[in-house]
Amino acid sequence: MEGDRQKTDVAKHWNENADQWTRDVRAGFDVYRDKFTFPAFLDALPAIKGLDVIDFGCGEGTNTRALARMGARVTGIDLSDRMIEHARRTEESDPLGIEYNVTSYSDHCGIPDASFDAVLSTMALMDGPDFPGAMREAYRLLRPGGFILFSVLHPCFITPGLGWEKDDEGRTTGLRVARYFDGSSFTEHWRFGNRPKDEDVLPFAVPRFPSTISDYLNAVASAGFMITNIGEPQPSHAACEAVPRFSRWRDLGGFLLLVGARRP
């Protein structure tokens, strides 16, 4: 089946990315996560102390460990067994009580129904081929009254035809949005912009599965959730001062979409 083939491809790419990704993230090169996307997620997150929480697309576990330090009982799942190896190794050396499982967040993960108070996911759900399946699995795993909060690249601005407009002096003046309705999957190749330029590393290969905002919101509603909040956070002024290129996402376009919903 096409969906199974795509998930196999996603796992293959993230297994290949895993070692360099883990080194780069833990070295502080992922400034978008550290100074923008994860702080924005935490600003939108209700109190989770004492809750049973599952992290969809946990990767090597940096965000998952932050959630555990907030007092939650956390499980992390990811399709990449190599990413989970890194997460488990850190858990063994510095235990926080986190359980990690290698599984897809859009299939039945083997955990019983109604096991969690919250499903959380930070910048991962846009990288899987079956977002509606992820919403159905989140609904299954949640207890009545439980909630989901997830962040993804903003689908209205991060499109397959994205490009920056510049004036004659080379100053960025606008964001070009194109091919918004093109849902064709593709593999993007990039490196963290803050890593040393003189280091020769292979770019990450990241499968992308473009969706429209209606694809996201309708899948949440169709799974049975009641949407409670939508966020489009901008980088803070302090973040823009620390990383000047962030100002493009403050002044010219939206980078991040946050969606919160509750299981009735």
Side-chain angles (χ1 to χ4, degrees):
M1 295 174 60
E2 177 66 11
D4 292 338
R5 185 196 64 76
Q6 289 177 317
K7 290 171 189 173
T8 299
D9 189 55
V10 169
K12 173 180 177 294
H13 279 93
W14 279 108
N15 280 335
E16 293 170 350
N17 294 335
D19 292 353
Q20 187 65 51
W21 181 274
T22 300
R23 286 193 294 269
D24 284 2
V25 165
R26 296 180 182 181
F29 296 144
D30 189 356
V31 292
Y32 271 84
R33 179 210 302 242
D34 294 343
K35 297 187 180 299
F36 177 22
T37 63
F38 195 58
F41 186 87
L42 295 182
D43 285 345
L45 181 64
I48 59 172
K49 184 176 181 179
L51 299 186
D52 295 309
V53 170
I54 186 167
D55 183 8
F56 275 20
C58 66
E60 47 72 48
T62 292
N63 292 353
T64 318
R65 292 177 64 77
L67 299 173
R69 290 191 181 99
M70 296 169 67
R73 295 179 293 274
V74 185
T75 298
I77 62 172
D78 200 278
L79 198 59
S80 165
D81 54 7
R82 186 64 180 157
M83 284 287 197
I84 292 294
E85 283 180 24
H86 285 291
R88 286 174 174 163
R89 193 173 300 131
T90 304
E91 172 65 16
E92 288 170 2
S93 63
D94 183 16
L96 292 173
I98 303 169
E99 179 182 340
Y100 290 105
N101 296 317
V102 179
T103 186
S104 167
Y105 51 54
S106 43
D107 295 326
H108 194 298
C109 67
I111 299 172
D113 295 359
S115 290
F116 297 99
D117 303 299
V119 173
L120 307 178
S121 184
T122 57
M123 305 302 287
L125 293 176
M126 70 277 182
D127 294 339
D130 184 10
F131 180 78
M135 293 302 97
R136 292 190 295 270
E137 180 65 355
Y139 190 90
R140 182 188 72 80
L141 288 169
L142 279 174
R143 297 167 182 142
F147 71 92
I148 180 172
L149 179 68
F150 66 85
S151 60
V152 291
L153 293 172
H154 201 305
C156 299
F157 297 93
I158 313 296
T159 65
L162 176 152
W164 293 104
E165 303 289 345
K166 297 182 180 292
D167 63 16
D168 292 339
E169 282 75 42
R171 292 172 298 199
T172 303
T173 58
L175 174 65
R176 182 181 70 247
V177 173
R179 293 164 49 206
Y180 174 63
F181 292 103
D182 183 354
S184 304
S185 60
F186 64 97
T187 300
E188 187 177 41
H189 297 85
W190 53 274
R191 304 175 186 181
F192 287 125
N194 272 48
R195 75 167 351 279
K197 299 294 188 276
D198 59 349
E199 291 187 14
D200 185 20
V201 297
L202 290 175
F204 302 120
V206 180
R208 296 291 192 209
F209 302 90
S211 299
T212 64
I213 197 164
S214 60
D215 291 332
Y216 282 121
L217 300 186
N218 287 334
V220 175
S222 295
F225 287 107
M226 296 178 60
I227 295 173
T228 55
N229 60 290
I230 303 291
E232 299 171 290
Q234 298 167 281
S236 67
H237 288 294
C240 291
E241 289 179 3
V243 188
R245 67 181 183 275
F246 282 6
S247 61
R248 299 178 300 180
W249 297 113
R250 185 171 185 88
D251 303 330
L252 302 175
F255 183 82
L256 188 63
L257 179 68
L258 279 161
V259 178
R262 190 164 293 277
R263 174 175 175 166

